[in-house]
Amino acid sequence: MVRSSKWTVFTLWAALPAVVRGGLDALEKRNGNVTTSAVCQSTYSWMNNENSQPPCFVAATLSAACATAGDWNVPAVNSTYHYSLPDSSTANYCVCSWAVYNLLGACTVCQNSTSVDNWSPYQAGCGNFTTSTAFPTKLISVYNNTLLPYWAATDPSKWSGFGFNSDEAFSIHSQGIALFLPLVEYDAICISLSRKK
């Protein structure tokens, strides 16, 4: 355990669930463009990760990790446009992760939109890419060692109403924990957690 005046950092090793072990061997870090035109309202700055990256950008970054070309864009939403559910052309292990679902929900809320789909229809669009983990880290590295807000790792079926819940996410955020997703190897995931003192 490493201690500093502001943070306590420790590393945990945990086995990756069997559901994501198959079919991920070919995935590797892709170098592409990660973009978003979404702008979060300042009242939702708590949704940013510790690198001050908003949830829309983090969702694009995580989604790009599985994209064929490594490119991903999360556009802005408005009263007439909302994020589409995954389908056969967009579903992959990253897009279908709990983290990307939660981050897209946060991205929707932080733009003052209320059009967040529940987890069940989102998951249904994933087909064979459905996972039971926060993010499929087997041989997938995330650009720039992107920090994942801890609330984004919540199982979406556990939110009140079975869809992203910003009040509950804020409660988790208030505990001061951040989750780091580095490149991992084979059947292990290295998670560095830090807690504000």
Side-chain angles (χ1 to χ4, degrees):
M1 183 165 11
V2 178
R3 292 186 184 269
S4 71
S5 61
K6 187 173 179 183
W7 301 95
T8 301
V9 180
F10 55 96
T11 303
L12 301 174
W13 289 91
L16 216 125
V19 71
V20 296
R21 290 186 182 153
L24 293 179
D25 291 328
L27 296 176
E28 58 189 47
K29 184 173 181 177
R30 314 256 200 273
N31 293 317
N33 294 320
V34 175
T35 59
T36 183
S37 56
V39 177
C40 289
Q41 301 297 310
S42 62
T43 55
Y44 294 102
S45 63
W46 65 266
M47 291 180 171
N48 295 351
N49 68 13
E50 289 183 11
N51 293 331
S52 297
Q53 296 168 323
C56 311
F57 182 80
V58 178
T61 300
L62 296 183
S63 298
C66 290
T68 303
D71 295 338
W72 206 270
N73 177 51
V74 173
V77 294
N78 58 41
S79 60
T80 60
Y81 176 82
H82 65 89
Y83 297 117
S84 301
L85 297 172
D87 61 29
S88 61
S89 67
T90 59
N92 61 45
Y93 287 106
C94 298
V95 168
C96 293
S97 68
W98 297 349
V100 170
Y101 167 80
N102 288 326
L103 289 161
L104 286 175
C107 183
T108 301
V109 169
C110 79
Q111 295 175 78
N112 286 328
S113 177
T114 57
S115 184
V116 178
D117 289 304
N118 283 340
W119 174 241
S120 183
Y122 188 94
Q123 185 180 33
C126 291
N128 293 332
F129 294 105
T130 299
T131 65
S132 62
T133 186
F135 190 76
T137 54
K138 182 182 178 185
L139 293 180
I140 298 172
S141 61
V142 178
Y143 302 121
N144 302 319
N145 293 323
T146 299
L147 290 168
L148 177 66
Y150 195 70
W151 53 262
T154 301
D155 176 349
S157 67
K158 305 297 183 199
W159 296 118
S160 295
F162 306 103
F164 176 73
N165 184 303
S166 62
D167 292 334
E168 292 173 21
F170 181 75
S171 178
I172 294 168
H173 162 78
S174 297
Q175 296 174 26
I177 301 173
L179 177 63
F180 176 71
L181 291 174
L183 172 67
V184 294
E185 299 178 22
Y186 300 99
D187 294 331
I189 174 175
C190 175
I191 303 173
S192 295
L193 296 171
S194 60
R195 179 182 292 274
K196 293 180 182 177
K197 283 192 155 204

Short mmCIF file of all heavy atoms in Angstrom, two decimals, residues 62 93-104 119 122-123 130-136 148 151-159 164:
data_model
loop_
_atom_site.label_atom_id
_atom_site.label_comp_id
_atom_site.label_asym_id
_atom_site.label_seq_id
_atom_site.Cartn_x
_atom_site.Cartn_y
_atom_site.Cartn_z
N LEU A 62 -13.71 4.17 -23.65
CA LEU A 62 -13.92 2.74 -23.38
C LEU A 62 -14.51 2.03 -24.59
O LEU A 62 -14.13 0.90 -24.90
CB LEU A 62 -14.82 2.55 -22.16
CG LEU A 62 -14.29 3.06 -20.82
CD1 LEU A 62 -15.28 2.72 -19.71
CD2 LEU A 62 -12.93 2.47 -20.51
N TYR A 93 -17.99 -6.08 -26.83
CA TYR A 93 -17.83 -6.28 -25.39
C TYR A 93 -17.67 -4.97 -24.63
O TYR A 93 -18.05 -4.87 -23.47
CB TYR A 93 -16.64 -7.20 -25.09
CG TYR A 93 -16.93 -8.64 -25.43
CD1 TYR A 93 -16.37 -9.24 -26.54
CD2 TYR A 93 -17.77 -9.40 -24.62
CE1 TYR A 93 -16.63 -10.56 -26.85
CE2 TYR A 93 -18.06 -10.71 -24.92
CZ TYR A 93 -17.49 -11.30 -26.04
OH TYR A 93 -17.76 -12.60 -26.35
N CYS A 94 -17.11 -3.97 -25.26
CA CYS A 94 -16.91 -2.69 -24.56
C CYS A 94 -18.21 -1.91 -24.47
O CYS A 94 -18.60 -1.47 -23.39
CB CYS A 94 -15.84 -1.87 -25.28
SG CYS A 94 -14.22 -2.66 -25.30
N VAL A 95 -18.89 -1.74 -25.60
CA VAL A 95 -20.16 -1.00 -25.63
C VAL A 95 -21.18 -1.65 -24.70
O VAL A 95 -21.98 -0.97 -24.08
CB VAL A 95 -20.70 -0.93 -27.07
CG1 VAL A 95 -22.14 -0.44 -27.11
CG2 VAL A 95 -19.81 -0.03 -27.92
N CYS A 96 -21.12 -2.96 -24.59
CA CYS A 96 -22.10 -3.69 -23.79
C CYS A 96 -21.69 -3.87 -22.33
O CYS A 96 -22.36 -4.56 -21.57
CB CYS A 96 -22.37 -5.04 -24.44
SG CYS A 96 -23.21 -4.86 -26.04
N SER A 97 -20.62 -3.23 -21.93
CA SER A 97 -20.17 -3.31 -20.53
C SER A 97 -21.03 -2.44 -19.63
O SER A 97 -21.67 -1.48 -20.08
CB SER A 97 -18.71 -2.88 -20.43
OG SER A 97 -18.58 -1.50 -20.70
N TRP A 98 -21.02 -2.77 -18.36
CA TRP A 98 -21.73 -1.96 -17.38
C TRP A 98 -21.20 -0.54 -17.40
O TRP A 98 -21.96 0.43 -17.32
CB TRP A 98 -21.53 -2.51 -15.96
CG TRP A 98 -22.06 -3.87 -15.70
CD1 TRP A 98 -22.88 -4.63 -16.49
CD2 TRP A 98 -21.78 -4.65 -14.55
NE1 TRP A 98 -23.12 -5.83 -15.89
CE2 TRP A 98 -22.47 -5.88 -14.71
CE3 TRP A 98 -21.01 -4.44 -13.41
CZ2 TRP A 98 -22.40 -6.89 -13.74
CZ3 TRP A 98 -20.95 -5.44 -12.46
CH2 TRP A 98 -21.65 -6.65 -12.61
N ALA A 99 -19.88 -0.41 -17.51
CA ALA A 99 -19.26 0.91 -17.45
C ALA A 99 -19.75 1.82 -18.57
O ALA A 99 -20.11 2.97 -18.32
CB ALA A 99 -17.74 0.78 -17.49
N VAL A 100 -19.75 1.33 -19.80
CA VAL A 100 -20.18 2.18 -20.91
C VAL A 100 -21.65 2.52 -20.78
O VAL A 100 -22.05 3.67 -20.98
CB VAL A 100 -19.85 1.54 -22.28
CG1 VAL A 100 -20.51 2.30 -23.42
CG2 VAL A 100 -18.33 1.49 -22.48
N TYR A 101 -22.48 1.56 -20.40
CA TYR A 101 -23.90 1.85 -20.18
C TYR A 101 -24.06 2.98 -19.14
O TYR A 101 -24.78 3.95 -19.37
CB TYR A 101 -24.67 0.61 -19.72
CG TYR A 101 -26.04 0.96 -19.19
CD1 TYR A 101 -27.09 1.20 -20.07
CD2 TYR A 101 -26.25 1.13 -17.83
CE1 TYR A 101 -28.34 1.59 -19.59
CE2 TYR A 101 -27.49 1.51 -17.34
CZ TYR A 101 -28.53 1.74 -18.23
OH TYR A 101 -29.75 2.13 -17.75
N ASN A 102 -23.39 2.83 -18.00
CA ASN A 102 -23.51 3.82 -16.93
C ASN A 102 -22.96 5.18 -17.35
O ASN A 102 -23.53 6.23 -17.04
CB ASN A 102 -22.82 3.33 -15.66
CG ASN A 102 -23.57 2.22 -14.98
OD1 ASN A 102 -24.80 2.17 -15.00
ND2 ASN A 102 -22.85 1.30 -14.38
N LEU A 103 -21.85 5.18 -18.06
CA LEU A 103 -21.25 6.43 -18.51
C LEU A 103 -22.14 7.13 -19.54
O LEU A 103 -22.26 8.35 -19.53
CB LEU A 103 -19.85 6.19 -19.06
CG LEU A 103 -18.81 5.86 -17.98
CD1 LEU A 103 -17.60 5.19 -18.62
CD2 LEU A 103 -18.41 7.10 -17.20
N LEU A 104 -22.77 6.37 -20.43
CA LEU A 104 -23.70 6.98 -21.39
C LEU A 104 -24.93 7.53 -20.66
O LEU A 104 -25.47 8.57 -21.03
CB LEU A 104 -24.12 5.99 -22.47
CG LEU A 104 -23.06 5.67 -23.52
CD1 LEU A 104 -23.55 4.59 -24.47
CD2 LEU A 104 -22.64 6.93 -24.28
N TRP A 119 -31.49 -0.72 -18.30
CA TRP A 119 -30.46 -1.71 -18.62
C TRP A 119 -31.02 -2.85 -19.45
O TRP A 119 -30.37 -3.33 -20.38
CB TRP A 119 -29.83 -2.22 -17.33
CG TRP A 119 -28.86 -3.35 -17.52
CD1 TRP A 119 -28.98 -4.60 -16.99
CD2 TRP A 119 -27.63 -3.34 -18.25
NE1 TRP A 119 -27.90 -5.36 -17.35
CE2 TRP A 119 -27.05 -4.61 -18.13
CE3 TRP A 119 -26.97 -2.38 -19.02
CZ2 TRP A 119 -25.84 -4.96 -18.72
CZ3 TRP A 119 -25.76 -2.72 -19.62
CH2 TRP A 119 -25.21 -3.99 -19.47
N TYR A 122 -31.17 -2.18 -23.19
CA TYR A 122 -29.80 -1.93 -23.63
C TYR A 122 -29.07 -3.26 -23.75
O TYR A 122 -28.43 -3.55 -24.77
CB TYR A 122 -29.09 -1.02 -22.61
CG TYR A 122 -27.73 -0.54 -23.05
CD1 TYR A 122 -27.58 0.68 -23.70
CD2 TYR A 122 -26.58 -1.29 -22.81
CE1 TYR A 122 -26.33 1.15 -24.10
CE2 TYR A 122 -25.33 -0.85 -23.20
CZ TYR A 122 -25.21 0.37 -23.85
OH TYR A 122 -23.97 0.81 -24.24
N GLN A 123 -29.18 -4.07 -22.72
CA GLN A 123 -28.53 -5.38 -22.69
C GLN A 123 -29.07 -6.30 -23.78
O GLN A 123 -28.32 -7.05 -24.40
CB GLN A 123 -28.71 -6.01 -21.31
CG GLN A 123 -27.99 -7.31 -21.11
CD GLN A 123 -28.23 -7.87 -19.72
OE1 GLN A 123 -29.29 -7.70 -19.15
NE2 GLN A 123 -27.24 -8.55 -19.19
N THR A 130 -23.14 -9.71 -24.30
CA THR A 130 -23.56 -9.41 -22.94
C THR A 130 -22.48 -9.88 -21.96
O THR A 130 -21.97 -10.99 -22.09
CB THR A 130 -24.89 -10.10 -22.63
OG1 THR A 130 -25.87 -9.60 -23.52
CG2 THR A 130 -25.34 -9.82 -21.20
N THR A 131 -22.14 -9.02 -21.02
CA THR A 131 -21.15 -9.38 -20.01
C THR A 131 -21.76 -9.24 -18.62
O THR A 131 -22.82 -8.64 -18.46
CB THR A 131 -19.90 -8.46 -20.08
OG1 THR A 131 -20.29 -7.14 -19.75
CG2 THR A 131 -19.26 -8.50 -21.45
N SER A 132 -21.07 -9.78 -17.66
CA SER A 132 -21.52 -9.62 -16.27
C SER A 132 -20.35 -9.04 -15.46
O SER A 132 -20.02 -9.49 -14.39
CB SER A 132 -21.97 -10.95 -15.68
OG SER A 132 -20.88 -11.86 -15.67
N THR A 133 -19.74 -8.02 -16.04
CA THR A 133 -18.61 -7.36 -15.40
C THR A 133 -18.61 -5.88 -15.77
O THR A 133 -19.24 -5.48 -16.74
CB THR A 133 -17.29 -8.04 -15.82
OG1 THR A 133 -16.22 -7.49 -15.08
CG2 THR A 133 -17.03 -7.89 -17.29
N ALA A 134 -17.89 -5.10 -14.99
CA ALA A 134 -17.84 -3.66 -15.24
C ALA A 134 -17.24 -3.35 -16.60
O ALA A 134 -17.75 -2.50 -17.33
CB ALA A 134 -17.04 -2.96 -14.15
N PHE A 135 -16.16 -4.03 -16.96
CA PHE A 135 -15.51 -3.80 -18.25
C PHE A 135 -14.69 -5.02 -18.61
O PHE A 135 -14.02 -5.60 -17.77
CB PHE A 135 -14.61 -2.56 -18.17
CG PHE A 135 -14.11 -2.11 -19.52
CD1 PHE A 135 -14.96 -1.44 -20.39
CD2 PHE A 135 -12.81 -2.36 -19.91
CE1 PHE A 135 -14.51 -1.03 -21.64
CE2 PHE A 135 -12.35 -1.96 -21.15
CZ PHE A 135 -13.21 -1.29 -22.01
N PRO A 136 -14.74 -5.46 -19.88
CA PRO A 136 -14.03 -6.69 -20.29
C PRO A 136 -12.54 -6.43 -20.46
O PRO A 136 -12.06 -6.13 -21.54
CB PRO A 136 -14.70 -7.03 -21.62
CG PRO A 136 -15.07 -5.70 -22.17
CD PRO A 136 -15.47 -4.87 -20.97
N LEU A 148 -11.71 5.21 -14.45
CA LEU A 148 -13.14 4.97 -14.49
C LEU A 148 -13.74 5.37 -13.15
O LEU A 148 -13.33 4.86 -12.11
CB LEU A 148 -13.39 3.48 -14.74
CG LEU A 148 -14.82 3.00 -14.75
CD1 LEU A 148 -15.57 3.61 -15.92
CD2 LEU A 148 -14.85 1.49 -14.83
N TRP A 151 -18.53 4.67 -9.52
CA TRP A 151 -19.97 4.46 -9.72
C TRP A 151 -20.26 3.85 -11.09
O TRP A 151 -21.27 3.17 -11.27
CB TRP A 151 -20.75 5.77 -9.54
CG TRP A 151 -20.25 6.92 -10.36
CD1 TRP A 151 -19.42 7.93 -9.94
CD2 TRP A 151 -20.52 7.19 -11.74
NE1 TRP A 151 -19.17 8.80 -10.98
CE2 TRP A 151 -19.83 8.35 -12.09
CE3 TRP A 151 -21.30 6.53 -12.71
CZ2 TRP A 151 -19.88 8.90 -13.37
CZ3 TRP A 151 -21.35 7.07 -13.99
CH2 TRP A 151 -20.64 8.24 -14.30
N ALA A 152 -19.38 4.06 -12.06
CA ALA A 152 -19.60 3.51 -13.40
C ALA A 152 -19.44 2.00 -13.44
O ALA A 152 -19.88 1.36 -14.39
CB ALA A 152 -18.64 4.17 -14.40
N ALA A 153 -18.83 1.42 -12.42
CA ALA A 153 -18.66 -0.03 -12.36
C ALA A 153 -19.85 -0.74 -11.71
O ALA A 153 -19.83 -1.94 -11.53
CB ALA A 153 -17.37 -0.36 -11.60
N THR A 154 -20.89 0.00 -11.38
CA THR A 154 -22.08 -0.57 -10.74
C THR A 154 -22.86 -1.43 -11.73
O THR A 154 -23.08 -1.05 -12.88
CB THR A 154 -22.99 0.55 -10.22
OG1 THR A 154 -22.25 1.33 -9.27
CG2 THR A 154 -24.25 0.00 -9.57
N ASP A 155 -23.30 -2.59 -11.28
CA ASP A 155 -24.18 -3.45 -12.08
C ASP A 155 -25.47 -2.68 -12.33
O ASP A 155 -26.17 -2.33 -11.38
CB ASP A 155 -24.46 -4.73 -11.30
CG ASP A 155 -25.43 -5.68 -11.98
OD1 ASP A 155 -26.09 -5.30 -12.98
OD2 ASP A 155 -25.54 -6.82 -11.50
N PRO A 156 -25.79 -2.38 -13.60
CA PRO A 156 -26.98 -1.56 -13.89
C PRO A 156 -28.29 -2.13 -13.37
O PRO A 156 -29.22 -1.39 -13.11
CB PRO A 156 -26.99 -1.47 -15.41
CG PRO A 156 -25.58 -1.71 -15.81
CD PRO A 156 -25.05 -2.69 -14.81
N SER A 157 -28.34 -3.45 -13.20
CA SER A 157 -29.58 -4.04 -12.69
C SER A 157 -29.77 -3.73 -11.20
O SER A 157 -30.85 -3.96 -10.66
CB SER A 157 -29.59 -5.55 -12.91
OG SER A 157 -28.60 -6.19 -12.12
N LYS A 158 -28.75 -3.19 -10.56
CA LYS A 158 -28.83 -2.85 -9.13
C LYS A 158 -29.30 -1.41 -8.90
O LYS A 158 -29.61 -1.04 -7.77
CB LYS A 158 -27.48 -3.04 -8.45
CG LYS A 158 -26.89 -4.42 -8.61
CD LYS A 158 -27.74 -5.48 -7.99
CE LYS A 158 -27.06 -6.83 -8.11
NZ LYS A 158 -27.95 -7.93 -7.93
N TRP A 159 -29.34 -0.57 -9.94
CA TRP A 159 -29.84 0.80 -9.77
C TRP A 159 -31.34 0.76 -9.48
O TRP A 159 -32.05 -0.09 -10.01
CB TRP A 159 -29.64 1.64 -11.03
CG TRP A 159 -28.24 1.90 -11.49
CD1 TRP A 159 -27.70 1.51 -12.67
CD2 TRP A 159 -27.21 2.64 -10.83
NE1 TRP A 159 -26.39 1.96 -12.78
CE2 TRP A 159 -26.08 2.67 -11.65
CE3 TRP A 159 -27.15 3.30 -9.59
CZ2 TRP A 159 -24.90 3.31 -11.31
CZ3 TRP A 159 -25.96 3.94 -9.24
CH2 TRP A 159 -24.87 3.94 -10.08
N PHE A 164 -29.65 3.60 -15.15
CA PHE A 164 -28.71 4.52 -14.51
C PHE A 164 -29.45 5.52 -13.63
O PHE A 164 -30.44 6.12 -14.03
CB PHE A 164 -27.88 5.27 -15.55
CG PHE A 164 -26.97 6.28 -14.93
CD1 PHE A 164 -25.84 5.88 -14.25
CD2 PHE A 164 -27.28 7.64 -14.98
CE1 PHE A 164 -25.01 6.81 -13.63
CE2 PHE A 164 -26.46 8.58 -14.38
CZ PHE A 164 -25.32 8.16 -13.70
#
